[in-house]
């Protein structure tokens, strides 16, 4: 009865030795086969062993290619330099996300016209995952040639990488993005869409008056570092275009008369996806990659961009001209993102803010629904502080402090007093300008005059966390689902009495965004919190506060905010039609020089209109003196457009 046995035949793969197991019948046969195998190894080919060596060489090449080790793959061929060059070209021009190969089980003698006797044609399947195309595969063939001794190599030819490639050609995959969908205002007009821009560059050989060129470029107010630009121009070749800046069409038109006559300046009109309004909130798109880089453009990148298609071609390596299309797939167009922005309200906010010559924000919401009607920021292309700013709100926060006092039983006409200063735990607090009022000053007059010491004098009516609890009724400190990134306010629990005292007047660690403070005013107007909403379709679970205030408290707050306009610190709004209600705020902070500076705030709402607002100027001075007139400009512009 025959006995079974097994043995191991070594073979070279990927620069190392590995074993292929053979199952043999009979012990004598085992010795014979091993002996024959050893001879074949030494001779480097023949019979079944030649087929195996051919497959091993092909596998080694394909494994190295799949692993991105192109030089190692090229070394398996008989022309490593040419092989590596085309491998690099194909990989660079197709940028596969994934790549794998499967060597076929069978090899066959090669066509004598292609290679000498003994060569083997090894079939394989290539599978690529390519951007815009997804999975793509083809059947290829590697021509393995026996060498001296043990080693086999692959005959180099362009067809090794794809059967349709000939010398001088490569593969190129192009991602074909559909036209980006727009971001829309509430009336379906575009807030972001394709729009013309102008690229400005310098032709060094033609630049005969550098001082004039630097002067007109600096007037663009586009953040151009003219010193660095001068260095780049000096280092450039005479006929090499030096990029300077890309500006919007309105900027180019405003300065064209000064720019065009300057020798050496060049201009090219292009088209890009641009924010047409609410620029900081809408965000921007990288002109090279087409991807959103900030704001709504980034948050809704996949929705707006859609699904790309792709085109894979054989192209001439020298000219890049496509010779033949191997695969082409269409993408799916993106979908518009609809917002609640009202173009007329947004325009009124942007025009008012443009005249302030300060960094800041204006936010307007519909009080009854929380819909964001405007979110303007200055600078227009900067940080969206309107939604995400984290700033001390100063005395605008007294709306919440007053709400707590009213809820705890204090009446509007209850006397609080208003001394020039008070001291808590050794920390002195004073009123702006160190004013003082009569000892019998009531809550009404303390609120309308924005008396810090009157509110701090009621410290014993607050527990360390009670201010934050009242703030919850206004949505502050919750987690909002707005459809955009927002900062939703913070009122930390105070550990010391002086910290709590500062918190009562919107200082210490109390922080809010302009959107948050506009919502505070809107909550008073509506008699309850309505979470702000910017992108309605994206809002799944709007925040609902756990704390509610009485209607009597809201009614009292409405009277206080109206009287602050008619007889108090918000008098800058007195002539605005529509029964404006307001509260000023001047919030101290430490600037970069370590000095105490102030943000200027004004919040409020129009009684005759369903709109609440917040105006904030960073390092802007006083709420009444500086933010107040800006708020009046905005509201007057709003009323005119209604």
């Amino acid at each position: 009865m025959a006995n079974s046995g097994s043995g191991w035949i070594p073979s070279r793969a990927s620069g190392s030795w590995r074993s292929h197991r053979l199952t043999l019948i009979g012990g004598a046969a085992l010795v014979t086969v091993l002996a024959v195998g050893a001879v074949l190894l030494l001779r480097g080919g023949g019979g079944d062993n030649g087929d195996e060596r051919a497959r091993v060489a092909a596998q080694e090449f394909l494994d190295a290619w799949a692993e991105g080790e192109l030089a190692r793959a090229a070394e398996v061929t008989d022309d490593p330099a040419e092989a590596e060059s085309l491998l690099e070209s194909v990989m660079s021009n197709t940028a596969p996300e994934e790549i794998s190969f499967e060597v076929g089980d069978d090899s066959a003698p090669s066509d004598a016209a292609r290679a000498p006797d003994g060569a083997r044609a090894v079939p394989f399947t290539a599978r690529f995952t390519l951007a815009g195309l997804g999975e793509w595969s083809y059947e290829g063939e590697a021509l393995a040639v026996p060498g001296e001794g043990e080693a086999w190599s692959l005959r180099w030819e362009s067809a090794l990488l794809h059967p349709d490639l000939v010398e001088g050609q490569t593969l190129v995959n192009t991602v074909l993005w559909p036209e980006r969908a727009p971001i829309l205002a509430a009336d379906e007009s575009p807030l972001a869409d394709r729009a013309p821009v102008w690229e400005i560059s310098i032709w060094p050989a033609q630049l005969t008056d550098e001082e004039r060129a630097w002067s007109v470029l600096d007037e663009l107010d586009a953040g151009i570092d003219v010193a660095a630009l001068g260095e780049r121009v000096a280092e450039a070749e005479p006929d090499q275009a030096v990029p300077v800046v890309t500006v919007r069409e309105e900027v180019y038109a405003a300065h064209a008369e000064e720019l065009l006559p300057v020798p050496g300046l060049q201009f090219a009109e292009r088209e890009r996806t641009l924010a047409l309004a609410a620029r900081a909130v809408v965000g921007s798109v990288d002109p090279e990659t087409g991807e959103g880089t900030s704001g709504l453009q980034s948050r809704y990148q996949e929705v707006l961009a859609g699904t790309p298609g792709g085109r894979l071609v054989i192209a001439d390596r020298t000219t890049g001209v496509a010779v033949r299309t191997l695969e082409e797939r269409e993408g799916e167009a993106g979908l518009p993102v609809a917002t609640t922005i009202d173009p007329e309200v947004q325009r009124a906010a942007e025009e008012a803010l443009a005249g302030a010559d300060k960094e800041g924000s204006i936010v307007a919401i519909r009080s009854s629904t929380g819909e964001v009607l405007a979110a303007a920021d200055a600078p227009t292309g900067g940080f969206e502080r309107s939604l995400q700013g984290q700033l001390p709100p100063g005395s605008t926060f007294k709306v919440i402090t007053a709400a707590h006092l009213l809820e705890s039983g204090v009446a509007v006409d209850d006397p609080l007093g208003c001394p020039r200063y008070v001291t808590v735990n050794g920390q002195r607090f004073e009123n702006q300008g160190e004013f003082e009022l009569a000892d019998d000053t009531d809550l009404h007059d303390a609120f309308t005059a924005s008396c810090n010491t009157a509110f701090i004098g009621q410290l014993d009516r607050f527990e360390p966390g009670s201010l934050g609890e009242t703030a919850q009724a206004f949505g502050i400190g919750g987690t909002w689902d707005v459809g955009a990134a927002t900062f939703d306010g913070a009122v930390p629990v105070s550990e010391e009495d002086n910290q709590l005292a500062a918190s009562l007047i919107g200082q210490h660690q109390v922080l809010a965004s302009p959107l948050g403070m506009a919502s505070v005013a809107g909550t008073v107007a509506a008699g309850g919190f309505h979470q702000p909403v910017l992108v309605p379709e994206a809002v799944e679970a709007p925040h609902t506060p756990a704390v509610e205030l009485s209607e009597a408290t809201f009614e009292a707050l409405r009277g206080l905010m109206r009287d602050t306009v008619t007889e108090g610190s918000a008098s800058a709004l007195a002539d605005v039609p529509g029964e404006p209600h307001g509260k000023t705020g001047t919030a101290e902070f430490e600037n970069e020089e370590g000095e105490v500076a102030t943000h200027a705030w004004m919040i409020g709402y129009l009684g005759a209109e369903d709109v609440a607002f917040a105006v904030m100027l960073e390092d802007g001075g006083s709420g009444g003196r500086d933010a107040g007139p800006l708020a009046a400009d905005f509201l007057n512009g709003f009323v005119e457009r209604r």
Side-chain angles (χ1 to χ4, degrees):
M1 183 174 181
N3 297 318
S4 64
S6 62
W8 299 90
I9 295 180
S11 62
R12 185 171 66 87
S14 302
S16 62
W17 291 86
R18 68 182 182 185
S19 300
H20 296 267
R21 189 173 181 89
L22 301 177
T23 301
L24 306 173
I25 306 299
L30 171 62
V31 175
T32 303
V33 171
L34 287 175
V36 172
V39 172
L40 289 174
L41 281 171
L42 292 174
R43 293 174 59 189
D48 292 339
N49 192 59
D51 291 340
E52 174 65 13
R53 285 185 174 279
R55 285 194 295 272
V56 167
Q59 188 72 60
E60 183 174 0
F61 172 81
L62 296 172
D63 283 350
W65 183 4
E67 293 166 8
E69 298 184 15
L70 305 185
R72 179 162 70 88
E75 287 296 329
V76 183
T77 74
D78 59 7
D79 192 346
E82 287 297 322
E84 185 175 1
S85 176
L86 186 56
L87 278 165
E88 289 179 346
S89 174
V90 168
M91 292 295 280
S92 173
N93 291 324
T94 60
E97 298 169 2
E98 294 182 13
I99 182 170
S100 64
F101 301 92
E102 182 179 348
V103 176
D105 293 332
D106 300 322
S107 61
S110 67
D111 184 347
R114 293 176 62 201
D117 290 342
R120 295 288 189 272
V122 182
F124 65 87
T125 301
R127 296 182 177 88
F128 288 69
T129 301
L130 301 174
L133 290 177
E135 293 185 3
W136 172 72
S137 64
Y138 65 88
E139 302 299 323
E141 183 180 86
L143 192 61
V145 180
E148 296 181 3
E150 309 169 350
W152 280 56
S153 62
L154 300 186
R155 170 60 56 87
W156 172 248
E157 54 186 347
S158 297
L160 176 58
L161 304 193
H162 187 279
D164 293 337
L165 279 178
V166 299
E167 185 176 355
Q169 295 179 342
T170 187
L171 299 179
V172 178
N173 182 47
T174 302
V175 178
L176 305 174
W177 284 96
E179 185 173 347
R180 190 178 184 88
I183 296 175
L184 303 176
D187 65 355
E188 298 188 352
S189 64
L191 290 175
D193 207 348
R194 301 292 291 178
V197 297
W198 286 85
E199 294 178 352
I200 303 176
S201 62
I202 291 177
W203 185 355
Q206 301 295 320
L207 186 64
T208 57
D209 190 344
E210 290 191 8
E211 184 176 347
R212 181 183 178 190
W214 305 155
S215 177
V216 298
L217 290 173
D218 191 50
E219 290 177 3
L220 293 175
D221 196 23
I224 301 171
D225 186 338
V226 294
L229 176 60
E231 293 177 3
R232 288 196 292 124
V233 171
E235 295 170 358
E237 296 295 327
D239 293 321
Q240 173 189 349
V242 178
V244 178
V245 70
T246 299
V247 297
R248 293 170 176 254
E249 185 174 41
E250 60 268 24
V251 175
Y252 173 77
H255 296 273
E257 189 174 337
E258 294 80 26
L259 290 167
L260 290 172
V262 179
L265 293 187
Q266 301 181 110
F267 312 93
E269 188 176 19
R270 299 284 187 264
E271 195 175 72
R272 290 187 184 175
T273 298
L274 298 176
L276 308 178
R279 287 168 58 181
V281 172
V282 169
S284 58
V285 175
D286 187 309
E288 300 298 327
T289 66
E291 294 186 356
T293 58
S294 63
L296 299 181
Q297 293 285 14
S298 175
R299 186 180 182 93
Y300 297 101
Q301 164 64 21
E302 294 184 3
V303 176
L304 294 164
T307 304
R311 181 186 299 118
L312 181 68
V313 302
I314 294 174
D316 186 282
R317 288 188 67 181
T318 303
T319 65
V321 175
V323 175
R324 176 184 170 189
T325 298
L326 296 176
E327 190 80 19
E328 185 169 4
R329 299 176 189 173
E330 292 186 2
E332 295 183 7
L335 299 174
V337 170
T339 74
T340 57
I341 294 291
D342 184 313
E344 293 300 327
V345 183
Q346 180 69 31
R347 192 168 296 114
E350 292 185 352
E351 289 179 359
L353 198 55
D357 195 29
K358 287 277 188 179
E359 294 186 356
S361 302
I362 297 178
V363 174
I365 66 172
R366 183 168 284 119
S367 303
S368 62
T369 63
E371 293 170 287
V372 179
L373 304 177
D377 291 280
T380 54
F383 173 61
E384 50 180 316
R385 57 175 55 79
S386 55
L387 305 188
Q388 298 190 62
Q390 300 185 29
L391 305 143
S395 291
T396 59
F397 198 75
K398 288 174 184 170
V399 172
I400 294 173
T401 306
H404 179 84
L405 293 176
L406 291 164
E407 288 283 305
S408 64
V410 177
V412 171
D413 57 359
D414 281 353
L416 306 183
C418 180
R420 180 170 298 175
Y421 65 87
V422 294
T423 301
V424 180
N425 279 1
Q427 182 175 349
R428 174 168 162 160
F429 296 89
E430 58 192 32
N431 300 315
Q432 186 178 9
E434 298 188 26
F435 73 83
E436 62 180 329
L437 300 176
D439 292 344
D440 61 351
T441 298
D442 57 19
L443 175 59
H444 174 277
D445 290 348
F447 187 96
T448 59
S450 200
C451 177
N452 294 333
T453 59
F455 287 90
I456 293 173
Q458 301 302 303
L459 190 63
D460 59 354
R461 294 181 179 273
F462 295 82
E463 297 296 330
S466 59
L467 188 62
E469 292 175 4
T470 302
Q472 291 179 31
F474 297 83
I476 298 296
T479 300
W480 297 0
D481 182 10
V482 176
T486 58
F487 174 68
D488 307 326
V491 187
V493 174
S494 301
E495 297 180 359
E496 303 290 341
D497 282 349
N498 59 311
Q499 296 175 351
L500 179 56
S503 297
L504 298 182
I505 57 174
Q507 297 282 175
H508 184 47
Q509 294 181 339
V510 174
L511 297 173
S513 66
L515 175 64
M517 295 313 296
S519 184
V520 167
T523 299
V524 174
F529 175 72
H530 296 277
Q531 185 214 267
V533 173
L534 179 63
V535 183
E537 290 189 6
V539 176
E540 297 180 355
H543 174 66
T544 301
V547 176
E548 294 184 359
L549 305 181
S550 67
E551 177 55 32
T553 292
F554 284 123
E555 188 61 36
L557 290 174
R558 294 182 195 115
L560 291 174
M561 293 181 70
R562 177 58 182 158
D563 290 349
T564 302
V565 172
T566 59
E567 56 190 79
S569 61
S571 59
L573 306 184
D575 294 331
V576 174
E579 290 189 9
H581 295 58
K583 182 68 191 79
T584 56
T586 304
E588 292 185 348
F589 73 102
E590 188 175 290
N591 62 23
E592 294 179 355
E593 290 73 34
E595 301 170 342
V596 175
T598 55
H599 301 314
W601 286 86
M602 173 77 84
I603 68 171
Y605 64 93
L606 287 182
E609 300 281 354
D610 189 14
V611 61
F613 66 90
V615 173
M616 188 280 303
L617 291 176
E618 284 202 35
D619 196 5
S622 163
R625 185 189 67 237
D626 299 295
L630 180 59
D633 289 344
F634 161 62
L635 293 175
N636 282 323
F638 165 79
V639 171
E640 289 174 4
R641 286 173 167 81
R642 301 298 277 183

